Amino acid sequence: MFIAMNRFKVKSGSETAFEDIWKNRSSSLADVPGFKEFNLLRGPVYADDGYTLFASHTVWASEAAFKDWTKSDAFRQAHRNAGDTKAEYLGPPQFEGFTIVEGA
């Protein structure tokens, strides 16, 4: 199993708009081979730095399944309007990938 996460620093005051983008998006992830689960996570508020931390969290059958999706037309379609909400972020999302340690 593989977990793919993107961390987003969302400008203070833009949290609801950011969440609404994710809630109202058109997603075909359920149809992608190897996809297991998606969650949008709201993290701590960093008031002094002017943002709230969010993370998109996906679980995949394997790292290969995730990488195949990133090379697919479905991936390009899912991210085609990503730049439209750039004003709500402080910098680009930060990717993190993890392989699940079985039996731990």
Side-chain angles (χ1 to χ4, degrees):
M1 300 268 275
F2 184 75
I3 294 175
M5 297 178 65
N6 274 301
R7 291 174 176 259
F8 300 87
K9 293 179 179 179
V10 176
K11 289 181 184 177
S12 296
S14 296
E15 295 88 352
T16 300
F18 181 78
E19 290 176 6
D20 287 345
I21 290 165
W22 288 90
K23 290 175 184 178
N24 298 315
R25 78 193 189 290
S26 174
S27 177
S28 60
L29 275 176
D31 301 325
V32 175
F35 172 76
K36 301 289 186 188
E37 182 180 341
F38 171 84
N39 289 287
L40 180 64
L41 310 174
R42 182 192 271 247
V45 174
Y46 295 92
D48 290 345
D49 296 321
Y51 72 90
T52 299
L53 183 64
F54 282 85
S56 64
H57 175 275
T58 52
V59 179
W60 297 85
S62 65
E63 185 174 2
F66 169 73
K67 286 183 176 181
D68 287 347
W69 175 67
T70 65
K71 298 172 187 170
S72 72
D73 187 51
F75 177 87
R76 286 185 289 283
Q77 288 297 317
H79 294 88
R80 69 182 177 275
N81 296 323
D84 294 351
T85 57
K86 209 173 181 179
E88 296 173 359
Y89 309 140
L90 297 179
Q94 299 295 312
F95 174 78
E96 297 174 319
F98 301 89
T99 301
I100 294 175
V101 178
E102 298 295 333

